[in-house]
Every structure is written in C-alpha cells, then in structure tokens.
Amino acid sequence: CPLEPMLYCIGASEDWPTEFCGPSSEVETRYTVISMIAMFLHWLLLIDMAVFAMKLSAFVLVVQHVLSEVGRFCVAMMFLLVTFASAVTCLRHGKREFGDLWDSGICLFSITVGLYEGDFREYTETPSLLAAVFFFVTVSVILLINLLIAQLNCSYEYVYADMVGFARLTRASLIVDSLQTCAPSRWSRFVSTLRFNQRAEFDEGDIGLAGAIQVKEAASLNPVMVDSINRYGGSCSPELQWPESSTLDENRFERIERLMMTALKNITEAEHHGQRAGHG
C-alpha cells in the first residue's frame, strides 16, 4: 500500500519497524481513514455467514428491505433540520449555538437524538426561539420518529413471510457459488459418504427406497393413526398376481365406526340434558 506509514519510516527512524516518525505524519490521517473503511467492509462481508441460520438470514433480508423506510425518514429529517435551522438563524437571540446554519442544524439534531446538554430555561428571554425549538421537537421526535416505528413494524410484518423463502434462495445461490470452487474428486468423496445407493429404513426391518438420507425422530413427534402403505403377506415375486385391494371394505368399517361413535355421543348428550332438566 503506498500509504503505509511504515514504508515512510524506512531510514528515517532508528526504531524501525515502526509507523511513528516524521515523514509518516503526512499520510497517517489518510491511512487511518482507509483502514477504517476497510475494516467496515470486512465486517459487512461477514453478514453472508447469516445463511447458516435460516431465521437470522431472513432477518438480515428484512433489515435490507426496510432500509428504504429509514432512508425516507432521513430525507424528511434533513428537510426539517435545514428548514428550522435556516429559520432560527434569522432570529436575533444572541445564542452562539444557533448563530449560523451549520451550528443550528447540529444543535437541533442533538436535541432530536437526546445529546443536547443545554438548558431550555436559558431561552425564556427569547420566546420566539423557544417556540421554534419546541415546535421542531414536536414535529421531529413526536411525529417523525413514531411514524418511522409504525412504518418499520408494518413493513416487517408484511415482508417477513416472504423473506423466509428469499433466505432459502440466498442460501442456495451461495451453495452453488461455493460448489464452483470444489474439486470433482472432493465432491465425489462427499457424495460417497452419503450412501445414496443404500436403501433407507422406514422403520426397524422396514426397508424403503434408495437415494435418501435417513433422519431419526421421536415416535410421538408425528403420530400416524392410519398406515398409508398397503402391506400384503407372501412372496414378493413380480410374476405373482397383484392382491386384490380391500380398501372398500375398510372404508365401510370405518364409516360404520364413525356412525357408532356419533350415535353414542348423541345419546350421552341427551342423557346429560335430561338429568339437568330433572334437577331443574
């Protein structure tokens, strides 16, 4: 880097390597500013690591989406600052913090963000200045900031549902970009460890299809009352005739069972109402 202070200290200081010497003072400010920008960009690039957590990645995308609302708020705030700062400088008040346009804008902004250390009782001698400051606080703090909060809330709720899908697309695009740098031999070794050629088990002893990754879960997590796989005893030879389905008979039995349960429920409710009428 041509702005490296250590290079300017070669031959100019006996304590080299060092970055503190006379010639390096000319580039020290520019070097530190560029270093600050580089560090800022470095941490911004690390935001891509959010794709490892889906909810965090969706939150990052939502933040990027609602930045437009913050931009509109900043434009409105700048307009108010210039308007009230230029108006306050026209008053004859004798206050140095409101002496010119720049100082007035800085003072009004510090009032907005709560960093103003002055006392408003000092402005009682100039009621017009006090009224202008109070009116600015009303418009900027009470109106604009609360409006920004409402806009961010509505925008977040509106876009969050779609942002989960966009987060998945972002993760997929990063995976595709990273696969371009992966060697074919390394990719082949990774695929072989997944064992796609082996059949996965639906349950213990229940062999399923190949090309899947088996993930175990608790039996109570997704209870299934009716098995969706029809099972038949006997040989699995494809030359044998396909067994006749008994789905129709099973549906009849299920319908009869539901009718019996409904009738039993109606009888129980009728007896309960009859007992209540008898006690009344």
Side-chain angles (χ1 to χ4, degrees):
C1 179
L3 298 179
E4 176 61 50
M6 190 177 297
L7 298 178
Y8 287 82
C9 294
I10 298 177
S13 177
E14 298 179 355
D15 298 330
W16 197 87
T18 181
E19 59 183 11
F20 301 104
C21 60
S24 66
S25 60
E26 300 176 359
V27 296
E28 183 178 358
T29 302
R30 286 179 291 174
Y31 178 77
T32 54
V33 171
I34 294 175
S35 300
M36 179 188 68
I37 296 174
M39 187 58 63
F40 183 74
L41 294 177
H42 169 73
W43 286 104
L44 281 182
L45 291 175
L46 289 179
I47 295 179
D48 291 338
M49 301 294 290
V51 297
F52 291 103
M54 189 61 62
K55 292 184 178 180
L56 183 59
S57 179
F59 176 77
V60 172
L61 292 176
V62 169
V63 171
Q64 295 176 358
H65 181 82
V66 300
L67 283 179
S68 59
E69 304 291 342
V70 180
R72 297 187 188 98
F73 168 79
C74 292
V75 171
M77 182 59 69
M78 288 297 298
F79 178 78
L80 285 179
L81 288 174
V82 174
T83 300
F84 281 88
S86 58
V88 166
T89 54
C90 297
L91 297 175
R92 298 187 181 275
H93 42 68
K95 304 295 182 181
R96 291 189 303 173
E97 58 268 27
F98 293 99
D100 55 12
L101 180 62
W102 178 256
D103 292 338
S104 298
I106 295 297
C107 187
L108 291 175
F109 180 75
S110 62
I111 293 174
T112 303
V113 297
L115 298 178
Y116 183 68
E117 298 180 356
D119 192 352
F120 290 106
R121 288 176 294 183
E122 300 175 358
Y123 303 149
T124 55
E125 299 176 358
T126 53
S128 57
L129 176 61
L130 184 63
V133 171
F134 281 170
F135 186 61
F136 171 79
V137 172
T138 302
V139 176
S140 63
V141 178
I142 300 178
L143 178 62
L144 274 186
I145 293 182
N146 287 284
L147 181 60
L148 174 65
I149 295 173
Q151 286 179 331
L152 292 179
N153 188 20
C154 295
S155 180
Y156 181 85
E157 293 180 355
Y158 179 75
V159 303
Y160 181 75
D162 296 333
M163 285 301 106
V164 175
F166 284 117
R168 292 192 177 97
L169 293 177
T170 303
R171 174 185 287 186
S173 64
L174 291 177
I175 292 174
V176 171
D177 294 339
S178 62
L179 286 178
Q180 295 178 358
T181 62
C182 182
S185 58
R186 184 179 181 183
W187 174 253
S188 300
R189 290 196 303 269
F190 170 73
V191 173
S192 62
T193 58
L194 298 179
R195 301 178 181 177
F196 284 134
N197 56 342
Q198 297 182 5
R199 292 187 176 185
E201 290 185 348
F202 291 131
D203 201 351
E204 185 176 359
D206 188 2
I207 306 300
L209 302 176
I213 299 177
Q214 187 180 27
V215 178
K216 297 182 178 180
E217 63 181 14
S220 59
L221 186 60
N222 296 299
V224 178
M225 304 304 296
V226 180
D227 194 353
S228 59
I229 301 176
N230 295 327
R231 308 176 188 275
Y232 301 96
S235 176
C236 299
S237 175
E239 299 177 356
L240 297 178
Q241 185 179 1
W242 190 261
E244 295 182 0
S245 176
S246 58
T247 306
L248 182 60
D249 296 335
E250 293 179 357
N251 292 336
R252 291 177 179 176
F253 286 120
E254 291 178 359
R255 187 162 54 252
I256 293 173
E257 184 178 1
R258 286 197 297 270
L259 290 175
M260 293 177 62
M261 295 296 295
T262 303
L264 181 60
K265 182 178 179 181
N266 294 334
I267 293 173
T268 304
E269 292 180 353
E271 292 179 353
H272 181 69
H273 288 300
Q275 292 178 0
R276 292 181 58 185
H279 289 295

